Amino acid sequence: MEQNYSNYTDEDRKVWKVLFDRQIDNLSKISSQEYLDGLTRIDFNADKIPNFENTEQRLQNYTCWKLHVVPSIIPVKDFFELLIKKQFPATTWLRKMTELDYLEEPDMFHDVFGHVPLLTNDAYTGFFLGIAEISVKHLDNEYAQELLGRVYWFTIEFGLIRENGNVKAYGAGLMSSLGESKYSMTNEPQKFDFDVKTILNTSFRTDIFQDKYFIIDSYEQLYNCVPEIEKELDAMLQLQS
Ligand SMILES: [Fe+2]
């Protein structure tokens, strides 16, 4: 599959612009600086739906990750097998104006605006690759996938980071959601320091705003904890068998 760039409609361009403008205003206050720098590095802006060819050329200057066009959510096995090849699965379709804040499943604003800017960061992509490599070793083990899914969820999708003494957001689920990113900054949800063991033991729901978030100190911390994830995961799998 390829991105058919000439197929985008005026409504698509309008949706991208409205979502981008609205979210960038919000993110300038609450997002990780590294994410905002990533947006600049890959040259995303409100006036142009990203063209994957250009985006990949930009990524070439940083981590050499590529985008792999998918129609919608793909099986976990396919997902992680793409990631170990440094290919990020991304949809190319955009939500309608009538559903700006509610989506049945991730569209391009989530996959591309939410995920791609941090694909310019070496430590972040090293971590991403690391959990993908662990995951492909356990593709037939549902329990292992559930546990790794927790790590993915509380970092890549809904992670928070401490920057200059302030808590900021970096997870793609937050970057692409006006409502949840604002909510994540309030005192309503519980916030914990990042801890591999705790995360592996924390289940989550996908149908509500999170009631717990985990805060990393740096992207290097994520990268450096990959061996610990594998060790703790193996210990939990042993206990279960
Ligand atoms: Fe996502």
Side-chain angles (χ1 to χ4, degrees), residues 102-118:
Y102 179 74
L103 269 188
E104 289 277 333
E105 59 173 271
D107 70 344
M108 180 183 178
F109 191 71
H110 171 79
D111 290 340
V112 178
F113 181 89
H115 280 281
V116 173
L118 280 177

Side-chain angles (χ1 to χ4, degrees), residues 88 106 110-111 115 152 156-157 172-173:
F88 182 72
H110 171 79
D111 290 340
H115 280 281
Y152 187 87
I156 301 288
E157 292 294 353

Side-chain angles (χ1 to χ4, degrees), residues 13 16-18 20-21 44-49:
R13 282 183 279 277
W16 176 266
K17 183 171 170 50
V18 169
F20 191 103
D21 281 338
F44 282 179
N45 60 69
D47 298 323
K48 191 168 175 284
I49 293 172

